[in-house]
Amino acid sequence: MDRAELGAFLRSRRERLRPQDVGLPTGPRRRTPGLRREEVAVLAHISTEYYVRLEQGRAPRPSSEVLAGIAGALRLTDAESDHLHVLAGSAPNRTGRHRRDVRPSILALLERLPQTAAFVTSAIFDVLAWNDLAAALMEDFGRLDERDRNLARRAFLTPTRDGHPLYGVSDATEFRQHVVMTLRSTLARYPSDPAVIELIGELRSGSTEFDRLWQRHDIQSASVLTKTFEHPAVGRITVDCDSLALTDRDQNLVLYSAPPGSRDAEALALLNVLGVDAADYRQ
């Protein structure tokens, strides 16, 4: 149970709500944002003293019934409710380190998708494996040190490297928000993993934007269905974006494809011909 993180998460969810959101009268002007602690306690059917201690990180582990009551009181989404249970220690929690080894079958699959840019990311956005088209579209990851293959660092600490922020993608702002939300969930699953702790600390100290988003305690982002790249060799490419969870290793297989016969598919085919040398156009 991570008492400090649990308390901070509860506080952030409480402060985002307004009385009218939960059917309470607005009443006189409030000195602080959000619901009062005693209002949450009443809605969750627990004592105010116990809820206050939860936010202060001083309470014992809450039961599943208490957590369900709090989740309802705070109008948590399913993802937020799951996160609450992880923080409270009542859900399966990975206490070791996240995995970086990619299944051989997935490595083979990458090579069998010549018309799709495909790559695998770890729980902290390290690019672990990729095919040639992904390298041509984004970056020749093979020329980078392992540390520089991290998309979170790319998003927040080197956003304008070579004059091409985030490979010219159209959703840079949304992707940064997705990174923060995902890393918060990752930290809840791997609270003692040095790589997770180090990356988050580096991003918080090195990026005011990351730190601002981190303090919001959001953990759920909207799905991205398409993504547009501005590529210096072939111009604008809009691709369908699919991210498949590899749950056994807590990794993601990301696929960028285009409808057959479209101009975007033709652009991907041209990148396939150019190969990884196309990444040099970004220099």
Side-chain angles (χ1 to χ4, degrees), residues 66-85:
V66 167
L67 292 173
I70 292 174
L74 294 176
R75 301 298 192 265
L76 301 187
T77 65
D78 289 343
E80 289 171 333
S81 181
D82 290 344
H83 186 64
L84 175 67
H85 280 76

Side-chain angles (χ1 to χ4, degrees), residues 154-206:
R154 173 82 184 199
F156 286 99
L157 302 183
T158 57
T160 57
R161 191 175 69 179
D162 304 330
H164 297 281
L166 286 173
Y167 315 114
V169 295
S170 59
D171 65 332
T173 299
E174 291 81 359
F175 179 72
R176 292 187 184 102
Q177 294 171 344
H178 168 70
V179 166
V180 177
M181 296 178 193
T182 300
L183 287 180
R184 181 166 287 286
S185 295
T186 298
L187 180 62
R189 296 195 303 276
Y190 303 99
S192 61
D193 188 328
V196 176
I197 296 170
E198 178 184 356
L199 175 63
I200 292 172
E202 180 183 353
L203 292 171
R204 292 194 69 180
S205 62

Side-chain angles (χ1 to χ4, degrees), residues 6 9-10 13-14 16-17 21-22 35 40-41 43-46 51 54 62-85 88 90:
L6 174 62
F9 181 65
L10 289 175
R13 302 302 88 178
R14 175 175 59 82
R16 73 176 181 175
L17 288 175
D21 294 332
V22 295
L35 299 180
V40 175
L43 292 170
H45 304 291
I46 59 177
Y51 181 78
L54 277 174
S63 67
S64 296
E65 292 76 15
V66 167
L67 292 173
I70 292 174
L74 294 176
R75 301 298 192 265
L76 301 187
T77 65
D78 289 343
E80 289 171 333
S81 181
D82 290 344
H83 186 64
L84 175 67
H85 280 76
S90 63

Side-chain angles (χ1 to χ4, degrees), residues 118-129:
F119 57 99
V120 177
T121 58
S122 72
I124 58 171
F125 291 96
D126 285 327
V127 177
L128 304 176

Side-chain angles (χ1 to χ4, degrees), residues 66-255:
V66 167
L67 292 173
I70 292 174
L74 294 176
R75 301 298 192 265
L76 301 187
T77 65
D78 289 343
E80 289 171 333
S81 181
D82 290 344
H83 186 64
L84 175 67
H85 280 76
V86 170
L87 293 177
S90 63
N93 189 14
R94 301 177 177 92
T95 58
R97 302 188 179 192
H98 70 287
R99 296 188 65 167
R100 298 180 53 83
D101 56 316
V102 180
R103 285 205 316 266
S105 60
I106 296 298
L107 294 175
L109 176 62
L110 294 179
E111 299 306 318
R112 293 199 297 267
L113 298 171
Q115 297 177 330
T116 299
F119 57 99
V120 177
T121 58
S122 72
I124 58 171
F125 291 96
D126 285 327
V127 177
L128 304 176
W130 58 92
N131 63 9
D132 289 344
L133 186 52
L137 177 63
M138 299 170 66
E139 187 165 18
D140 186 358
F141 298 105
R143 298 180 183 177
L144 304 177
D145 294 334
E146 285 190 9
R147 174 184 174 82
D148 293 330
R149 294 175 193 161
N150 184 275
L151 298 182
R153 287 192 180 95
R154 173 82 184 199
F156 286 99
L157 302 183
T158 57
T160 57
R161 191 175 69 179
D162 304 330
H164 297 281
L166 286 173
Y167 315 114
V169 295
S170 59
D171 65 332
T173 299
E174 291 81 359
F175 179 72
R176 292 187 184 102
Q177 294 171 344
H178 168 70
V179 166
V180 177
M181 296 178 193
T182 300
L183 287 180
R184 181 166 287 286
S185 295
T186 298
L187 180 62
R189 296 195 303 276
Y190 303 99
S192 61
D193 188 328
V196 176
I197 296 170
E198 178 184 356
L199 175 63
I200 292 172
E202 180 183 353
L203 292 171
R204 292 194 69 180
S205 62
S207 169
T208 56
E209 181 184 7
F210 181 92
D211 190 60
R212 176 181 61 81
L213 293 171
W214 184 260
Q215 294 186 53
R216 288 167 51 174
H217 289 267
D218 294 335
I219 54 94
Q220 185 179 31
S221 58
S223 299
V224 177
L225 301 180
T226 62
K227 190 181 292 283
T228 299
F229 291 83
E230 291 289 349
H231 197 284
V234 298
R236 176 171 294 188
I237 309 176
T238 298
V239 296
D240 296 324
C241 178
D242 295 286
S243 182
L244 309 179
L246 307 177
T247 54
D248 64 317
R249 306 198 179 194
D250 204 6
Q251 298 167 357
N252 283 281
L253 171 61
V254 182
L255 305 172

